[in-house]
Amino acid sequence: MIRNIFKVAIRNIFRNKVNSFINIFGLSLGITSFVLISFWVRDEITFDRYHKNIDGIFRVLEFQFYSDRIGTTSSTPGVLVPHLKENYPEVKYATRLTWTEETLFSVPEKNHFETCRYVDGDFLKIFSFDFVAGDKETALDDKYSVVLSEELASRYFGDQEAVGQTIKVRNDRSLRVTGVFKSWPKNCTYGDFDALLSIEEYIDRNEWAAEWGNNNLRTVVQLHDPTNYRVFDAKIKNIIREQKEDYEIDLWLQPFGETHLYSNYENGQQKGGRILYVRIFSIVAIFILLIACINFMNLATAQAVKRAKEVGLRKVVGAVKGNLMFQFLGESLTFALISGAMALAASFMLIPMFNTITDKQIIFDFDGFLLLILMGTILFTGLFSGSYPAFVISRYRPAEVLKGVVKSGKKANNLRKSLVVVQFSLSIIIIFSTIVISKQLQYVQDQDTGFDKSGLIYMSLRDDMDEKFDVIRTELLSNSSILNATATSFPPLRIGNSTWSVEWPGKSPEEKILFSNQSVDHQYVETMGLDLSAGRSFEAKYTTDTSNFLLNETAAKKMGFSPEEAVGQTITLWDRHVGKVVGVLKDFNFSSAHTEIRPMLLMHDLSWYNYLVVRADGSKLKEAINSLQTIQEKFASAYPFEYEFVDKDWAEFYETEQRTGQLFNAFAFISIVISCLGLFGLSAFAIQQRTKEIGVRKVLGASISSIIKLVSRDFALLVMIAAVIGSPIAWYFMDNWLSDFAFRIELSFLIPLLATFLVLMIAFLTIFYHSLKAARNNPVEALRYE
């Protein structure tokens, strides 16, 4: 019987070539999209599952209580880990880790910056490492040791044994290689390193990292009994308060398996993260698959009349309803199998491009997951898309069929219309979302940040370049490609320091405001192109400016002053740095559009310069870069030359959104293609049903344009109904997505109108061919129809 079902299905495919192509191509597109998105979703939800002990690993977060909000950070004091290990037996392992650093590694004739983290030895025990050389239990016991990735060891030592070799770090310290490990998969948090160094060596160079009052390290723990982690959570909650009485900070454990998907917090409450994108794309995958299934159902019901005689004859010779249902479900499963095979081949070919768009390393393995997704999708698609035709067509009565009185009934027609509405509602939701994402990305890229990002280039000040900065600036400005130059402690958009230890006259003792802070020289305001709201900037002629401050407008407002009132106020920073406010800058955005502008405090500390920032002539960028390279080679020749553009940093803030936008564009296009394929088939059927009516209208003098309008009107009405249904749904989801941005576009009714117009135009173009063909037919031929 199965063989017979397959034979009939193949015959129907070749008998109705156009419909068969529409069904198979549409289903294969839908299944391909579903499979690719399923791979992406699996990669996201299995993040960090590479680590065997993931269920017992937790990262320590701080909830910091300020006057206007509760801040959440993963930065913790460097002394927290020793304190936990010494006083809390629940802790099995605990490690500190730094942010990634670009550190200079040197061996004879090789000199490169490598991405490193400084960690405790427990880091190698908490997380899963596959060592190819050395002993991970003791590899970081010595603070002058380093462990390398397999790729890094090969780069520096080739085929030689790496363990035991010496690498010079930062041109000032030699470390011994004690281990070589295989790199983690890409879907691992904190996995962006090529080498690990001892945290003790880091603290030797940064003594402030061992103070309770400094948060600059991350803390990860593994518990003996992870099932009771909330009990342990309560025990460590007040550790910071106990060590620093005036610090209103709570500690809190987050299961490490949640770090990737649930990383966003607002006022101490978890507020999404990448889980939002997982949900969005899961819905998109289902939408596209449903659109493809609806195509099949619509075309199958439209063709029901043509197959009515076949059903009648089968029943006359003894077929029962169950046999016929099995026959039609088998046929739809055959279509799904053929489409699934095409989707499998397409997915395999598209994976490299898909990885490029999503920045993933998804491997197309014929594993259980792929088989489950593919077979489950084929089974669902075949049964769902073939269910209605199977139930409807199998109910036809032989007598009526053989008399030729079976027509495409009102119920079937209403079902087709309903399915078209659903189909285009889903398409409008996807197109609406695509438009919003595109507009928001364009908005944040073009956003007025308060300074001109173009032409700003920065590089690190190596060796003693900070001490020779006046000489360096003079040399740079002698080149016409450099318009201005300044020294700062942080890159313009990566200010990594903040403090609430700021005092001023009239401040309430209970008031806590977090200020971002950095040190800049007297050319900072001019180089960045910032505007003053009141007062002046730092100036070289005022030697006392090394004790003074600049604020932004938000900082002045938080302190309770207008810009004019803030100028001249005395500020005490960290209980030791006392000076006057000499100027207030107009607010400028030194972070991404996801966050509001925070209070900013600028000082003029000559000993805290780490970066050189130049304003280059946009027409002479290559010359400006060559000038910077000459400076690097002259004043720090032992270091490779590296530089960054500020506008590139700004673009990187929205890398996730950019990739989301690219995927939405692709899937919006696919959903429209699938919908139009179905509409193409349905419009042909609809015109065939109205052939005699169109002939009569032509005889009575109807024009070609009026006939095209007649045919198009019904479908246009369905698209309008779809817009009314889909637009509010899309509006709701996109408004939630935009709430993650402090600076965002406002949704307007032009967006659903634009989405509807696009769909209407596409739908009209789709059915235009059939409409024009019908309108041009000879009415005599039309009236001979049937």
Side-chain angles (χ1 to χ4, degrees):
M1 184 176 180
I2 294 176
R3 181 183 176 186
N4 184 58
I5 291 173
F6 182 74
K7 285 174 65 177
V8 172
I10 296 299
R11 286 172 185 167
N12 281 322
I13 288 174
F14 286 101
R15 185 182 300 128
N16 303 289
K17 293 182 179 65
V18 174
N19 283 339
S20 297
F21 170 79
I22 290 172
N23 278 327
I24 292 173
F25 186 64
L27 284 175
S28 62
L29 273 179
I31 295 172
T32 300
S33 301
F34 189 84
V35 168
L36 290 175
I37 295 176
S38 296
F39 272 116
W40 183 88
V41 169
R42 180 179 70 161
D43 188 81
E44 289 288 309
I45 64 178
T46 59
F47 225 86
D48 293 316
R49 291 294 157 184
Y50 170 78
H51 303 298
K52 298 180 179 66
N53 303 316
I54 187 64
D55 293 331
I57 303 173
F58 303 85
R59 69 169 180 164
V60 181
L61 301 179
E62 283 189 2
F63 289 154
Q64 301 175 348
F65 294 84
Y66 304 114
S67 301
D68 57 342
R69 64 190 177 91
I70 301 174
T72 304
T73 178
S74 59
S75 295
T76 55
V79 289
L80 179 61
V81 163
H83 182 82
L84 290 174
K85 294 178 74 171
E86 183 178 345
N87 297 287
Y88 295 88
E90 296 95 334
V91 176
K92 184 176 182 180
Y93 300 117
T95 183
R96 296 160 287 188
L97 60 152
T98 62
W99 310 89
T100 53
E101 292 188 6
E102 294 299 311
T103 304
L104 181 67
F105 277 28
S106 303
V107 298
E109 300 181 2
K110 291 179 183 176
N111 211 21
H112 302 284
F113 284 105
E114 307 298 353
T115 305
C116 305
R117 287 188 187 274
Y118 293 82
V119 300
D120 285 286
D122 279 3
F123 187 84
L124 302 174
K125 302 169 185 174
I126 292 173
F127 296 107
S128 296
F129 279 90
D130 186 1
F131 264 52
V132 297
D135 181 4
K136 71 176 181 179
E137 296 295 322
T138 60
L140 288 176
D141 285 356
D142 183 349
K143 67 180 177 182
Y144 298 117
S145 59
V146 58
V147 294
L148 309 176
S149 68
E150 201 171 15
E151 294 80 4
L152 208 59
S154 177
R155 184 191 308 168
Y156 283 102
F157 305 111
D159 296 332
Q160 298 180 52
E161 176 65 41
V163 173
Q165 300 279 0
T166 299
I167 288 182
K168 197 169 186 179
V169 178
R170 299 181 306 276
N171 280 329
D172 67 358
R173 189 162 294 186
S174 294
L175 303 181
R176 188 172 63 90
V177 178
T178 55
V180 178
F181 61 87
K182 289 186 177 180
S183 296
W184 290 353
K186 195 173 179 68
N187 63 341
C188 284
T189 306
Y190 301 153
D192 49 347
F193 57 84
D194 296 309
L196 296 172
L197 293 79
S198 171
I199 195 73
E200 298 299 335
E201 196 270 340
Y202 178 85
I203 292 175
D204 280 352
R205 294 182 293 105
N206 302 280
E207 295 181 358
W208 48 264
E211 299 175 3
W212 281 104
N214 277 291
N215 290 335
N216 196 48
L217 302 176
R218 299 177 182 183
T219 298
V220 177
V221 300
Q222 182 180 342
L223 302 182
H224 285 287
D225 183 9
T227 59
N228 291 324
Y229 81 94
R230 282 299 172 215
V231 175
F232 180 70
D233 210 29
K235 284 186 178 182
I236 67 170
K237 178 180 178 180
N238 296 315
I239 285 179
I240 305 294
R241 296 174 187 261
E242 292 167 359
Q243 303 297 326
K244 303 282 287 187
E245 292 183 2
D246 58 334
Y247 279 34
E248 295 184 42
I249 296 176
D250 291 347
L251 294 181
W252 187 77
L253 293 184
Q254 182 185 31
F256 200 81
E258 297 179 3
T259 300
H260 179 70
L261 294 179
Y262 302 92
S263 58
N264 293 356
Y265 287 82
E266 187 174 293
N267 280 325
Q269 298 294 319
Q270 203 284 321
K271 188 190 174 185
R274 288 187 65 86
I275 188 64
L276 174 64
Y277 292 102
V278 171
R279 290 167 180 160
I280 287 174
F281 281 110
S282 296
I283 292 171
V284 168
I286 293 170
F287 278 8
I288 291 177
L289 194 60
L290 284 177
I291 290 170
C293 291
I294 287 170
N295 265 4
F296 189 97
M297 294 177 72
N298 269 337
L299 292 174
T301 53
Q303 296 296 316
V305 174
K306 288 186 177 181
R307 299 195 65 180
K309 192 167 292 187
E310 173 193 342
V311 172
L313 288 172
R314 283 176 176 270
K315 283 194 171 185
V316 167
V317 297
V320 297
K321 182 179 176 182
N323 297 134
L324 292 169
M325 289 177 59
F326 194 70
Q327 169 71 45
F328 290 114
L329 285 174
E331 287 183 24
S332 65
L333 281 170
T334 302
F335 273 92
L337 279 169
I338 296 171
S339 302
M342 293 177 62
L344 184 66
S347 300
F348 179 76
M349 291 186 290
L350 291 172
I351 274 290
M353 184 174 68
F354 188 73
N355 281 336
T356 300
I357 295 173
T358 59
D359 192 31
K360 295 286 188 182
Q361 290 180 344
I362 297 170
I363 299 173
F364 196 86
D365 284 336
F366 287 90
D367 56 5
F369 175 80
L370 174 61
L371 292 175
L372 179 64
I373 286 294
L374 194 62
M375 296 311 297
T377 306
I378 289 172
L379 190 63
F380 167 81
T381 304
L383 294 178
F384 178 75
S385 58
S387 58
Y388 183 81
F391 282 103
V392 170
I393 300 174
S394 63
R395 287 206 304 258
Y396 287 163
R397 296 177 181 176
E400 294 178 351
V401 169
L402 297 177
K403 287 178 182 178
V405 297
V406 174
K407 298 288 182 185
S408 181
K410 186 176 181 181
K411 288 184 179 179
N413 192 39
N414 288 338
L415 175 69
R416 283 195 297 276
K417 289 181 178 180
S418 300
L419 291 176
V420 169
V421 168
V422 172
Q423 191 176 47
F424 277 95
S425 295
L426 300 179
S427 295
I428 284 173
I429 290 172
I430 296 175
I431 292 173
F432 185 113
S433 302
T434 301
I435 294 171
V436 172
I437 292 171
S438 177
K439 287 175 69 68
Q440 175 64 15
L441 287 175
Q442 192 62 47
Y443 174 78
V444 297
Q445 291 292 351
D446 299 339
Q447 179 190 355
D448 181 9
T449 55
F451 66 96
D452 183 7
K453 301 182 293 295
S454 62
L456 281 178
I457 310 172
Y458 66 90
M459 59 179 277
S460 294
L461 293 171
R462 309 290 186 184
D463 282 344
D464 59 351
M465 288 176 69
D466 56 334
E467 298 172 10
K468 301 174 182 177
F469 187 72
D470 287 338
V471 176
I472 291 171
R473 190 203 325 266
T474 301
E475 288 200 24
L476 285 171
L477 294 180
S478 67
N479 190 312
S480 62
S481 64
I482 304 293
L483 304 179
N484 216 325
T486 186
T488 68
S489 51
F490 295 101
L493 296 177
R494 301 185 186 277
I495 300 172
N497 211 54
S498 58
T499 181
W500 64 73
S501 186
V502 180
E503 303 293 331
W504 62 89
K507 178 188 176 185
S508 169
E510 291 79 29
E511 192 169 18
K512 287 188 185 296
I513 299 173
L514 189 68
F515 291 79
S516 294
N517 63 287
Q518 71 165 331
S519 180
V520 301
D521 83 338
H522 62 275
Q523 286 297 308
Y524 179 77
V525 173
E526 290 76 11
T527 303
M528 294 289 291
L530 302 175
D531 294 320
L532 281 163
S533 185
R536 62 175 177 83
S537 63
F538 296 134
E539 296 182 26
K541 64 182 179 180
Y542 296 110
T543 57
T544 55
D545 273 356
T546 55
S547 299
N548 292 331
F549 302 97
L550 291 173
L551 304 174
N552 65 354
E553 290 175 324
T554 298
K557 183 178 179 181
K558 292 287 185 182
M559 293 165 66
F561 303 118
S562 67
E564 293 75 18
E565 293 170 340
V567 174
Q569 296 290 333
T570 300
I571 284 181
T572 303
L573 177 66
W574 300 319
D575 297 326
R576 63 179 184 273
H577 193 122
V578 182
K580 299 281 188 182
V581 176
V582 298
V584 177
L585 299 168
K586 288 186 177 180
D587 279 339
F588 62 99
N589 197 351
F590 50 89
S591 186
S592 78
H594 287 283
T595 58
E596 296 177 348
I597 295 176
R598 300 292 189 194
M600 165 68 79
L601 181 148
L602 301 176
M603 66 185 77
H604 188 33
D605 185 348
L606 305 179
S607 65
W608 193 21
Y609 293 153
N610 300 313
Y611 291 89
L612 160 66
V613 183
V614 301
R615 169 75 66 183
D617 184 333
S619 63
K620 301 178 180 178
L621 287 179
K622 187 175 181 179
E623 188 179 340
I625 292 168
N626 290 336
S627 179
L628 290 172
Q629 185 171 7
T630 300
I631 289 294
Q632 171 87 17
E633 292 170 352
K634 181 176 180 179
F635 291 94
S637 58
Y639 292 82
F641 174 60
E642 292 188 343
Y643 64 94
E644 294 289 347
F645 288 96
V646 172
D647 52 6
K648 178 187 174 186
D649 284 354
W650 183 260
E652 287 177 356
F653 283 149
Y654 312 106
E655 191 171 345
T656 297
E657 288 79 9
Q658 289 282 9
R659 296 186 187 282
T660 302
Q662 288 178 318
L663 287 176
F664 256 97
N665 287 338
F667 292 130
F669 176 75
I670 289 171
S671 70
I672 283 296
V673 168
I674 297 173
S675 297
C676 288
L677 284 172
L679 198 58
F680 185 85
L682 283 179
S683 61
F685 173 77
I687 290 169
Q688 186 182 45
Q689 294 290 91
R690 303 177 72 171
T691 300
K692 190 172 290 185
E693 176 191 348
I694 292 171
V696 171
R697 287 178 179 272
K698 287 203 71 177
V699 168
L700 295 176
S703 64
I704 291 178
S705 60
S706 67
I707 291 176
I708 292 175
K709 181 179 178 181
L710 170 71
V711 176
S712 304
R713 183 176 57 197
D714 289 344
F715 289 106
L717 179 62
L718 296 180
V719 172
M720 295 300 293
I721 295 171
V724 172
I725 295 171
S727 295
I729 297 172
W731 188 296
Y732 171 78
F733 282 114
M734 284 296 99
D735 193 50
N736 280 345
W737 180 75
L738 287 170
S739 68
D740 193 40
F741 292 86
F743 300 90
R744 50 165 284 182
I745 63 170
E746 291 301 323
L747 294 178
S748 72
F749 287 101
L750 289 175
I751 297 174
L753 288 176
L754 177 59
T756 304
F757 175 77
L758 287 173
V759 174
L760 272 173
M761 289 298 97
I762 293 168
F764 175 77
L765 291 173
T766 301
I767 62 178
F768 179 76
Y769 168 77
H770 289 305
S771 303
L772 185 62
K773 184 179 177 182
R776 285 179 170 177
N777 278 346
N778 189 333
V780 174
E781 295 297 326
L783 295 177
R784 285 179 182 171
Y785 179 66
E786 293 181 338

